[in-house]
Amino acid sequence: MTDRPLVHAVNVTKSFHHNEVLKGIDLDVEAGQVVCLLGPSGSGKTTFLRCINQLETIDGGRIWVDGDLMGYAERGDKLYRLKDKEIAAQRREIGMVFQRFNLFPHMTAIDNVIEAPVQVKGESKKVARERAQALLDRVGLGDRTAAYPAQLSGGQQQRVAIARALAMQPKLMLFDEPTSALDPELVGEVLAVMRELADDGTTMIVVTHEMSFAREVADTVVFMDAGVVVEAGPPADVIGNPQHQRTKSFLSRLRSEHS
Amino acid sequence: MTSPADTVVRKGLSPRKRAQRSRLIQYAILIALVLFALFSANWGQIGSVFFKPEFIKATFQDGVLQALVKTVEYTAGAFVIGLAGGTLLALMRLSSVGPYRWIATAYIEFFRGLPAIVVFIAFSLLPLAFEGMTIPFDPYGVVWLALGIVASAYMAEVIRAGIQAVPKGQIEAARSLGMSPGLALRKIVLPQAFRIVLAPLTNDLILLVKDSSLVFIIGVAATGYELTGFGRDLANTYSNLTPIVVCGFCYLIITLPLGILVRRLEARAEKSR
């Protein structure tokens, strides 16, 4: 089983009130890969991302991250829902960056970053602080460690949020439309940090509408629509030469919006 | 009876003019009332009943400041109990376990609906009903418990609203970092919830200061008198209301700064929104 991909999702289904938003998603992500999920809003890409770290429970199918079955224990041929604490332990391995940053407003930037390592992993404050400083340096905010989220721009907040997720030294990073809530002039600084992470070999799954990022950074692009994967492959194929009508019309709509 | 021409004239009175006239009438009423009060009241008698200097002095000599301290002590302890109990009740009300919710709801509705004085009467009768029963830290234990039981019911609803006002994304962020539900609650949700309800909680504290006046119903020893009990006792002794007035002003010493604090907190909350 050692050759299994880092993320291995099989036939994932999910409904909200009889509305089936995921209709059997399969996805493999190798360690070190960057996968971009594209698709129109309501296609289920964000829901799928949230299923990976169990912010949503799945109705059917299975998701493994680094060999761990997410959210469940398998005994015989039955699945048992894990306890909250066990799910929390699984989530430590997976960093997540949200559209609306979700920094803790009552803590400074550096306290946001050290909170989980100290409280969850039991690291000493000193060690956590040193690493947090290094991470904030890395996202270009080494001089704003004492600032509260309200004192930071959206782009700065999102970069702190990335540092916060990285502080747990996760095996996998999930990005849920990380630049969608930003003013256009602040998008670049966040994407630059993400590019750097990708270059360093971080395994990333990114829900995004930033085509140039997907084209230049992603190893695999997955186009989703109406709860299914329409097509997946290298960006040159999916974005450069889409095979399906739904992909083509989505991309052309996106292009006309951006020009 | 109004002719068309008349209505035109009425309409012609500009809103500004109309407001001016209304203000004028209001001032006239005020001045009339003040003049009436000035000439009709017996100021000499009012002064000697409510503000007699020698009794003001006596009230201070007899220890009004001690009573003020007692009021603060009673209130502070009750606030702590109310805060702890209120937080517990708020969490119970938000629990996914039905019976917890029911118990908390029943408690809150019961003690919010009850006049606080009824609770105090009940506590005053407890030693009679349960012979030999003592509540520790006499007299503080009884007072804190009686006040705290009622206060926790009020504060529970305020704290619950605060918890629910914390954005869901905060909990998701905490969970995504591997925090257990309990840890996320302690480190992320509750600190933000208390910030949100700081102003309404301070309001509850002001109410609590005033409710502490009910302590005299329990029947504490003279050394345990708070402001109301102290003032009443002294007013009885002197057959004069001055001590009560002095005690009344002492309440303001506590509540006015708290009121200002509430307004500051509200302004700050408004700004950060």
Side-chain angles (χ1 to χ4, degrees):
Chain A
M1 287 290 213
T2 47
D3 56 345
R4 202 146 68 165
L6 185 70
V7 180
H8 182 53
V10 180
N11 196 25
V12 174
T13 59
K14 168 80 187 171
S15 300
F16 292 114
H17 308 289
H18 308 294
N19 175 24
E20 201 174 20
V21 285
L22 298 178
K23 300 171 184 165
I25 304 287
D26 297 319
L27 182 76
D28 283 351
V29 181
E30 302 288 344
Q33 265 201 332
V34 176
V35 173
C36 282
L37 300 181
L38 309 181
S41 57
S43 59
K45 50 197 193 314
T46 287
T47 305
F48 178 66
L49 198 73
R50 291 163 58 86
C51 286
I52 295 174
N53 72 346
Q54 294 291 303
L55 285 182
E56 306 284 356
T57 56
I58 59 179
D59 298 336
R62 291 174 196 193
I63 302 172
W64 286 270
V65 175
D66 200 24
D68 285 335
L69 181 60
M70 294 304 293
Y72 295 91
E74 197 166 17
R75 276 180 231 121
D77 55 354
K78 275 197 170 160
L79 288 181
Y80 298 89
R81 181 90 184 140
L82 292 177
K83 295 193 197 87
D84 284 339
K85 281 225 164 101
E86 294 167 316
I87 293 175
Q90 288 186 328
R91 289 198 187 108
R92 286 182 212 177
E93 313 286 327
I94 305 171
M96 187 161 195
V97 175
F98 298 85
Q99 185 177 350
R100 303 221 56 99
F101 333 132
N102 297 352
L103 287 183
F104 306 133
H106 57 302
M107 300 179 188
T108 60
I110 197 157
D111 285 342
N112 263 278
V113 179
I114 68 167
E115 183 68 11
V118 170
Q119 297 294 343
V120 177
K121 278 189 172 170
E123 278 181 21
S124 79
K125 275 202 171 167
K126 191 170 165 288
V127 172
R129 248 170 204 288
E130 278 166 19
R131 211 177 49 251
Q133 181 67 52
L135 284 167
L136 287 170
D137 283 337
R138 190 171 163 193
V139 299
L141 291 168
D143 56 338
R144 301 304 310 272
T145 54
Y148 282 89
Q151 299 166 324
L152 298 171
S153 74
Q156 290 173 327
Q157 287 189 53
Q158 192 62 300
R159 286 186 280 151
V160 174
I162 293 172
R164 177 176 71 175
L166 290 172
M168 289 297 280
Q169 297 169 311
K171 296 172 184 152
L172 168 69
M173 285 284 286
L174 308 175
F175 293 85
D176 182 13
E177 302 202 28
T179 57
S180 297
L182 295 175
D183 291 334
E185 76 270 20
L186 302 177
V187 168
E189 63 192 55
V190 172
L191 290 182
V193 168
M194 290 169 63
R195 254 173 228 265
E196 217 176 285
L197 288 181
D199 290 344
D200 290 350
T202 313
T203 314
M204 297 163 57
I205 303 179
V206 185
V207 173
T208 188
H209 293 289
E210 297 293 332
M211 277 312 134
S212 58
F213 179 82
R215 198 181 302 115
E216 290 156 27
V217 181
D219 298 294
T220 304
V221 169
V222 176
F223 176 72
M224 286 177 67
D225 190 20
V228 296
V229 172
V230 177
E231 63 185 299
D237 295 350
V238 177
I239 299 174
N241 183 23
Q243 299 301 306
H244 289 260
Q245 188 50 46
R246 280 194 277 182
T247 318
K248 284 178 193 166
S249 66
F250 172 74
L251 289 173
S252 68
R253 224 179 321 140
L254 215 59
R255 268 183 211 112
S256 64
E257 276 171 22
H258 279 264
S259 57
Chain B
M1 288 290 263
T2 51
S3 70
D6 261 337
T7 43
V8 169
V9 170
R10 286 266 166 90
K11 268 184 187 163
L13 201 63
S14 72
R16 202 167 58 91
K17 274 252 169 77
R18 218 177 300 166
Q20 206 176 23
R21 199 162 66 176
S22 145
R23 238 187 342 262
L24 226 80
I25 294 170
Q26 289 178 53
Y27 272 116
I29 293 172
L30 182 67
I31 289 165
L33 285 174
V34 168
L35 287 176
F36 177 76
L38 273 179
F39 288 112
S40 65
N42 182 345
W43 288 102
Q45 195 180 14
I46 288 175
S48 67
V49 170
F50 290 98
F51 304 101
K52 198 160 188 177
E54 58 186 276
F55 286 141
I56 293 177
K57 207 174 141 204
T59 308
F60 275 94
Q61 276 165 349
D62 280 346
V64 70
L65 293 180
Q66 254 172 312
L68 178 68
V69 169
K70 285 280 178 221
T71 290
V72 171
E73 284 173 351
Y74 291 154
T75 308
F79 189 69
V80 170
I81 290 180
L83 209 56
T87 307
L88 184 69
L89 286 165
L91 293 175
M92 285 170 73
R93 278 216 51 178
L94 296 169
S95 166
S96 56
V97 181
Y100 281 145
R101 281 201 310 274
W102 306 329
I103 293 168
T105 309
Y107 179 97
I108 291 166
E109 293 304 332
F110 183 76
F111 282 106
R112 276 204 311 181
L114 219 58
I117 196 167
V118 174
V119 177
F120 276 83
I121 290 171
F123 266 91
S124 71
L125 297 176
L126 269 184
L128 282 179
F130 298 96
E131 218 167 317
M133 195 191 93
T134 51
I135 297 174
F137 303 115
D138 188 66
Y140 292 106
V142 188
V143 173
W144 284 341
L145 218 54
L147 276 172
I149 278 174
V150 179
S152 63
Y154 283 95
M155 286 155 92
E157 285 296 271
V158 171
I159 295 166
R160 179 185 59 81
I163 291 173
Q164 286 178 318
V166 175
K168 209 165 150 257
Q170 290 292 314
I171 298 163
E172 291 186 344
R175 295 290 181 83
S176 79
L177 288 165
M179 292 191 195
S180 65
L183 188 61
L185 182 75
R186 268 191 301 125
K187 291 290 172 179
I188 307 303
V189 177
L190 285 183
Q192 292 186 56
F194 279 114
R195 268 182 184 79
I196 292 168
V197 298
L198 218 50
L201 274 185
T202 312
N203 259 329
D204 277 345
L205 179 58
I206 294 175
L207 294 179
L208 207 53
V209 172
K210 298 193 289 178
D211 271 355
S212 73
S213 62
L214 294 170
V215 164
F216 81 91
I217 291 185
I218 296 178
V220 292
T223 51
Y225 275 161
E226 41 62 63
L227 283 169
T228 303
F230 173 82
R232 190 176 83 139
D233 209 41
L234 218 56
N236 265 331
T237 313
Y238 298 146
S239 303
N240 185 285
L241 292 180
T242 306
I244 287 279
V245 172
V246 173
C247 288
F249 277 107
C250 284
Y251 276 111
L252 295 185
I253 293 174
I254 310 171
T255 54
L256 281 183
L258 286 175
I260 292 166
L261 182 67
V262 171
R263 242 165 293 153
R264 288 250 172 96
L265 291 171
E266 278 171 350
R268 204 185 64 178
E270 196 65 40
K271 218 164 67 181
S272 73
R273 205 162 284 159

